Amino acid sequence: MKNIALAFSGGGFRAAAFSLGTLSYLDHIPYLDQPLLEQVKFIGSTSGGSITNLMYTAGLCADEPFNIIYKKIFCAMEGEKLLGRVFEILNDNQLWQKRKDKSINLINAFSMAYDEANMLGGKTFGELSENIKYTHLDEITVNATEFTNGISFRFQSQHGNPSFPKGRVGNNYINFKRDQLEVAGLMKLSDLLACSSCFPGGFEPFLFPEDFTHKELNTNVLLRAMQYKNNPFNPPQKEEEQEKTTRFFLMDGGIADNQAIESVLLANKRRQKNNRPTFDLIIATDVTSYFMDGFDLPEDDDLAGSGNTGISPLFIKRALFVAGCFFLVLVALYFTPYWRDWMYLPVIPVALSLGVWLYLSIHFAAAGKKAKRDNDTWLIVLLKYGGYFTRLKMNVLKFMIMARLKSVLLLANDIYLKQIRRHYYNMVYRDPDLSGLFISNAIYDLSLVKQKASADKDLVQVMGFDSLNDAEDNQIPAPSTALKKVAERARLVPTTLWFDLNNPDQQLRETIIATGQFTTCYNLLKYLIRLEKISKASPMGEALPFGEDLTALKNTMAADWKKFNEDPYFMLPVITQVNPC
């Protein structure tokens, strides 16, 4: 256990807090006369997990002790403090003047909030890459998803040692030139975090190069530093679009790999290829799961009645037209003896109605011409048949829209992500070279719902997880009811960048961190028991020696597991009780 890799999944503050719990437990456990955390050589992350990854690594590079780093990350997740600061920034014109090229939107407001002293403090990617060699880490990777080719875009630290294998800053199609990595180093860590956690639906895409610019880095420098390779599967571009290829959009890294597992596997391959020590343990710290709520149609009491009630968009359009005609009548009456002073009152509303009607008519006419000119088959069909939707009643149309939105959100934020998650876990567990050194450290592992699921033998066989009741031949005492309740509360926390606004006294942050601590203890203890069993079965323990250091480590974790069962919060530092943030 001298070359450990960590993968921090996405999942907002829940992911950041659970990852912090993992780090704090590894820092708590002694191994070879120092914290086990000192054996971690690589951290890959996406979305919410990147908050912990970047803040921890930035603190390490500034030579800060773990308790100070812990406090900074802990305090950064206080209630809705971050959210409140974001909206203050969004409405502060003076701050936007300092980053003139940035688009004024929500994701850039988050980026500027991340850049402040209480989080990343203006630090750059180059500062981290240069100073990481003085820490226990070899490298880190922060993952985003690039929207030109639909694949991961990785910000991979460039180790100061020239012989150390370096991954691209980018991907196979879009990346920084090797001789221009100093330009990549000028990017702010806050911008890397913003595009890594820029989930669809909640945020706008993060634009390269404009959204990465600041006082010391402009668009021209960024553009010259990039190189582009044509993706043969992309459709051929029109001449007027070729100049746009130097601009691309980034969004949440979880779209392509929400567990950040692939970045760990690629780092391991680089080490193997360059004759560097490969990872002997990979811990995937994950707050997502295969559990989900099924789809239900949106509730709409109006639909229980007649479908012929209510008004339709077509009725509204005709009403606007009639109002517009009334405006023209009023204008004509103004020049006749029939004009009366009260007629001034309807002039403004009917004039607005006419303006709206004219705008819609001109807009749709222009859209029709554009559709024919560009041979846009989707727009042609929409304009041809869209009129049928305008004849539906508003309650029916609203129901159709809400049902589609709900299904799309379920597909994008749940079903799709679970399929990607299953793909990466299957890839690891089916590889005999990886499965023996891989630990899935999931927030639900010790929850009530997982305990219930583990009692179903058929489900256990289908899903491929171990029953908690017979974990490693009953060598680990079953989790206590108190511990399982804490894990269940942590599992149910939604994916947000704030904690529950209605119940601020629930201490959700502390609950998730504690769950990260005792779940890491449990899964590492399972791993060591399995390792010891394999070692004893091998000839004279030569294949996998299990010496005194690992025995001491196992005994320490067993003692901790007993304490966790008595008090799941026993390891939380004093600052989480006093909360001096």
Side-chain angles (χ1 to χ4, degrees), residues 42 91 115 187 235 238 409 425 486 488:
F42 177 89
N91 290 275
D115 200 39
M187 293 188 295
K238 297 177 182 179
L409 287 173
Y425 278 116
V486 172
E488 184 69 11

Side-chain angles (χ1 to χ4, degrees), residues 464-477:
F465 56 78
D466 297 329
S467 170
L468 295 178
N469 298 321
D470 59 358
E472 304 307 330
D473 298 327
N474 292 318
Q475 292 189 53
I476 304 177

Side-chain angles (χ1 to χ4, degrees), residues 314 382-392:
L314 183 61
L382 179 62
L383 291 171
K384 183 175 182 179
Y385 296 101
Y388 288 95
F389 289 105
T390 67
R391 301 172 190 175
L392 296 173

